[in-house]
Amino acid sequence: MLEKILVSSCLLGQKVRYNGTDKKIGDNRLDKWLQEGRVIPFCPEVAAALPVPRAPAEISGGDGNQVHDGTAEVIDADMQNVSKYFVEGAKLAFAEAKRAEVKVALLKADSPSCGNKDIHDGTFSGKKIVGSGVTAALLEKKGIPVFNENELGAMDSYVRNLENMDKN
């Protein structure tokens, strides 16, 4: 059985980022997954009704895990608290992953929604900290491993291992 993969829409060329651009990646593995019909495109921020373009946002006071427990906030460059949109987007991403029986996600690195290793530190200075975005944190908590576009090799191995286990 071919495993379904939740993929950040911006990585597929959709212009959904805060500044109206995409971060399309060219990779044979992703192209193959698209051709096989296993990719589920999703943008948590757009799904939660944030506009394109929109002010850039960063997590202040922690990472996505702390946003979920209410001890950190997602603040945009206009100093507006947009946490509710990011939490709603994460919930919608998980609901879509569950509906599509997704077992793995490929999300945009460094994003306040999708970052799985590093995020910006909340000061809008370009500095990064170790941590997860709001969507990545929820997916991981719910048992869906998250990879970013710099980890395609590891993700490909993970997906192949899942499929090999399904065969046995």
Side-chain angles (χ1 to χ4, degrees):
M1 180 176 132
L2 296 178
E3 296 296 342
K4 297 288 186 181
I5 304 166
L6 189 75
V7 178
S8 291
S9 297
C10 64
L11 297 177
L12 298 169
Q14 294 180 21
K15 296 182 184 316
V16 294
R17 296 186 75 233
Y18 71 93
N19 58 3
T21 64
D22 66 66
K23 282 291 186 173
K24 184 173 181 161
I25 54 175
D27 186 275
N28 292 336
R29 293 164 288 210
L30 183 57
D31 293 342
K32 180 179 179 241
W33 297 332
L34 281 161
Q35 290 170 356
E36 293 169 342
R38 62 169 73 204
V39 170
I40 309 297
F42 200 85
C43 177
E45 294 166 33
V46 170
L50 284 170
V52 177
R54 59 188 169 273
E58 295 187 7
I59 299 173
S60 178
D63 75 354
N65 291 298
Q66 284 77 46
V67 173
H68 284 290
D69 70 23
T71 60
E73 299 174 325
V74 185
I75 305 295
D76 72 16
D78 297 328
M79 305 318 283
Q80 299 297 308
N81 183 335
V82 292
S83 300
K84 68 180 182 181
Y85 297 102
F86 283 74
V87 170
E88 179 65 16
K91 290 177 181 175
L92 292 168
F94 176 66
E96 179 63 11
K98 190 173 176 183
R99 183 203 63 75
E101 299 180 2
V102 163
K103 294 210 177 88
V104 63
L106 173 63
L107 303 182
K108 176 68 188 96
D110 307 327
S111 159
S113 285
C114 298
N116 69 324
K117 301 275 188 241
D118 300 305
I119 56 172
H120 292 273
D121 71 355
T123 64
F124 295 93
S125 64
K127 290 174 54 181
K128 295 179 188 169
I129 59 170
V130 173
S132 295
V134 181
T135 295
L138 182 63
L139 292 178
E140 289 274 358
K141 182 179 180 182
K142 298 289 190 177
I144 299 173
V146 175
F147 295 85
N148 67 52
E149 69 272 23
N150 303 312
E151 301 173 310
L152 277 165
M155 184 179 161
D156 185 49
S157 295
Y158 181 84
V159 169
R160 281 189 273 123
N161 284 339
L162 277 178
E163 291 170 352
N164 286 336
M165 287 191 307
D166 287 345
K167 290 177 187 175
N168 297 328

